[in-house]
Amino acid sequence: MNLRRFFTRTQSAPAARDRLQLLLAHERASAGGSDLLAKLRDEILLAIAKHVQIDSDKVSVKMERGAQVSTLAVDIEIPFEAAAKKAA
Amino acid sequence: MGKVIVVTSGKGGVGKTTSSAALGAALAQGGDKVVVVDFDVGLRNLDLIMGAERRVVYDLVNVIQGEAKLAQALIRDKRVETLYLLPASQTRDKDNLTAEGVEKVISALKSVFDWVICDSPAGIERGATLAMRHADIAIVVTNPEVSSVRDSDRIIGLLDSKTLKAENGERMEKHLLLTRYDPARAERGDMLKVDDVLEILSIPLLGIIPESMEVLRASNLGTPVTLADERSVPAVAYFQAARRLKGEDLPITIPGERRGFFGKMFGRKAA
Ligand SMILES: Nc1ncnc2c1ncn2[C@@H]1O[C@H](COP(=O)(O)OP(=O)(O)OP(=O)(O)O)[C@@H](O)[C@H]1O
Ligand SMILES: [Mg+2]
């Protein structure tokens, strides 16, 4: 093994601890039935489906669970026609 | 049409998830389109090993139950753009995995990806049999240790009887991946010899992965070991195994031993 690489590397255990703390905090919350991000995801999709017929192939949902903030990105293609029809 | 690989073992904790991530990443690093599928419903870990645990939106069970589209459940790796993960469900029961559902998902994945790598749960129950059911190729992960070898033998029996290939009278391509190999213990004669394991299981050898700190380090960081440090000993061993999977005929060296000794043995077993 390359000695210089060996000595200049940062430790990996702190990263492991941080990742686990974050993951488990989110998992415990969701086991208690309060996975806010998932709830928001489902309700947003339902709300949109009320107004436009969504083609589920055209829906992309991204989440990133963070320590301080989580992000939820719902990306939906709404064809002009579908929007017009439901609104009528 | 892509190839479906099951990474299986019978015994738990031998290195299936580590190997699924490392081989998947190695193949994708070479430019192939790869998806790694976690079949360990209820005890998923592949997301953690691949560093995607914070980005899981939907999972395999959601797709099978029609709650999400396959494309929505796939997570693209942030480092290798041809590498994807299909996570298992953490909260749902294994019984949600139906044979028809799994079949649909696998055939859809096969039409898009070059490699569909199924990380099997331990054991010989439903999760494990469903993970192997549609495989073209099986990688039997074994540690050089008596109970692991025995369980691998059992799994080989299932691969030859309970899979679609077997039921259609076709031959399942099987490879042995010997993991957590410890050269120091081998030297002292306290570990089963590679040769002995090969003779007992009599399937060709795909590679030998040494016991290594690098594996622990990579999993701490959430990086497949082939991405964490491409030049580390286990990474090199996984890269070579990936090349053998693609049909290259590379000689195998036993970690800690000089080259040459092994050439003749592999030549015999590869037949
Ligand atoms: N080559 C290796 N060197 C050192 N540690 C290893 C090696 N391979 C695997 N391990 C460690 O062994 C443990 C089990 O590995 P892994 O989770 O990959 O096994 P598994 O077969 O998927 O387990 P399970 O049956 O529970 O799904 C992990 O802690 C992993 O870091
Ligand atoms: Mg596993």
Side-chain angles (χ1 to χ4, degrees):
Chain A
M1 127 121 18
N2 181 322
L3 276 185
R4 193 176 34 194
R5 272 199 300 148
F6 185 80
F7 285 114
T8 54
R9 279 195 311 193
T10 52
Q11 294 181 343
S12 64
R17 182 205 52 217
D18 293 349
R19 293 175 61 222
L20 275 175
Q21 276 177 342
L22 176 60
L23 175 66
L24 295 183
H26 283 287
E27 275 190 358
R28 286 175 188 149
S30 67
S34 58
D35 185 356
L36 180 62
L37 223 49
K39 218 176 268 167
L40 289 174
R41 175 194 68 197
D42 295 344
E43 288 182 14
I44 289 171
L45 291 178
L46 274 178
I48 294 169
K50 260 195 254 168
H51 299 285
V52 283
Q53 186 142 23
I54 27 182
D55 176 354
S56 51
D57 283 321
K58 303 276 163 68
V59 180
S60 138
V61 185
K62 293 215 162 90
M63 293 187 193
E64 178 117 23
R65 295 161 204 272
Q68 309 303 328
V69 245
S70 293
T71 57
L72 169 65
V74 182
D75 198 326
I76 307 177
E77 255 180 52
I78 302 167
F80 179 69
E81 240 176 80
K85 213 178 287 162
K86 273 241 179 167
Chain B
M1 198 63 106
K3 289 251 168 79
V4 181
I5 299 180
V6 61
V7 179
T8 185
S9 69
K11 187 168 159 60
V14 295
K16 294 179 293 296
T17 300
T18 303
S19 301
S20 300
L23 289 171
L27 288 165
Q29 282 166 275
D32 288 1
K33 228 178 154 197
V34 181
V35 60
V36 195
V37 186
D38 193 345
F39 270 85
D40 210 340
V41 173
L43 286 174
R44 75 166 174 227
N45 269 324
L46 192 56
D47 56 334
L48 196 54
I49 297 306
M50 296 185 64
E53 74 280 1
R54 302 193 302 143
R55 296 195 291 134
V56 175
V57 182
Y58 294 111
D59 57 54
L60 178 60
V61 169
N62 291 138
V63 176
I64 286 177
Q65 306 272 301
E67 296 152 357
K69 291 278 170 145
L70 182 54
Q72 295 172 333
L74 292 173
I75 303 173
R76 186 191 205 143
D77 191 88
K78 285 195 166 165
R79 300 146 299 204
V80 186
E81 63 171 25
T82 54
L83 179 61
Y84 289 76
L85 163 70
L86 181 56
S89 173
Q90 182 70 333
T91 48
R92 309 278 278 270
D93 198 85
K94 294 198 220 319
D95 297 340
N96 287 301
L97 285 186
T98 60
E100 309 78 61
V102 170
E103 165 154 29
K104 267 200 204 147
V105 169
I106 297 288
S107 63
L109 290 173
K110 249 168 92 159
S111 65
V112 180
F113 290 93
D114 298 318
W115 301 95
V116 180
I117 301 181
C118 305
D119 178 19
S120 174
I124 53 171
E125 309 291 316
R126 186 179 183 78
T129 50
L130 280 176
M132 70 170 65
R133 180 128 190 100
H134 303 92
D136 302 305
I137 301 170
I139 297 179
V140 180
V141 179
T142 307
N143 295 161
E145 171 266 320
V146 287
S147 54
S148 175
V149 174
R150 179 205 201 168
D151 290 0
S152 292
D153 189 64
R154 183 84 193 278
I155 279 292
I156 290 170
L158 291 182
L159 288 167
D160 287 334
S161 61
K162 291 263 174 113
T163 53
L164 272 181
K165 281 237 159 187
E167 286 170 10
N168 293 337
E170 292 171 60
R171 200 186 67 91
M172 165 80 72
E173 184 181 330
K174 299 181 289 290
H175 299 274
L176 180 71
L177 187 64
L178 204 58
T179 57
R180 312 204 66 167
Y181 182 89
D182 185 342
R185 280 169 60 207
E187 178 92 359
R188 290 197 303 271
D190 287 331
M191 198 172 56
L192 273 170
K193 289 247 163 56
V194 176
D195 216 352
D196 295 336
V197 178
L198 281 175
E199 191 174 318
I200 293 167
L201 296 176
S202 59
I203 58 174
L205 187 59
L206 186 67
I208 305 172
I209 315 297
E211 175 77 17
S212 166
M213 273 288 297
E214 297 293 330
V215 172
L216 186 63
R217 210 183 126 73
S219 66
N220 279 344
L221 299 173
T223 312
V225 70
T226 52
L227 270 170
D229 179 354
E230 296 194 11
R231 288 176 301 174
S232 71
V233 181
V236 169
Y238 277 119
F239 276 121
Q240 292 187 349
R243 285 169 63 188
R244 288 186 196 104
L245 264 182
K246 295 192 71 169
E248 259 187 77
D249 185 13
L250 296 172
I252 292 186
T253 42
I254 300 185
E257 275 177 32
R258 285 198 195 91
R259 230 161 20 87
F261 163 82
F262 201 67
K264 60 177 201 287
M265 185 182 72
F266 182 60
R268 194 180 79 224
K269 286 296 172 192

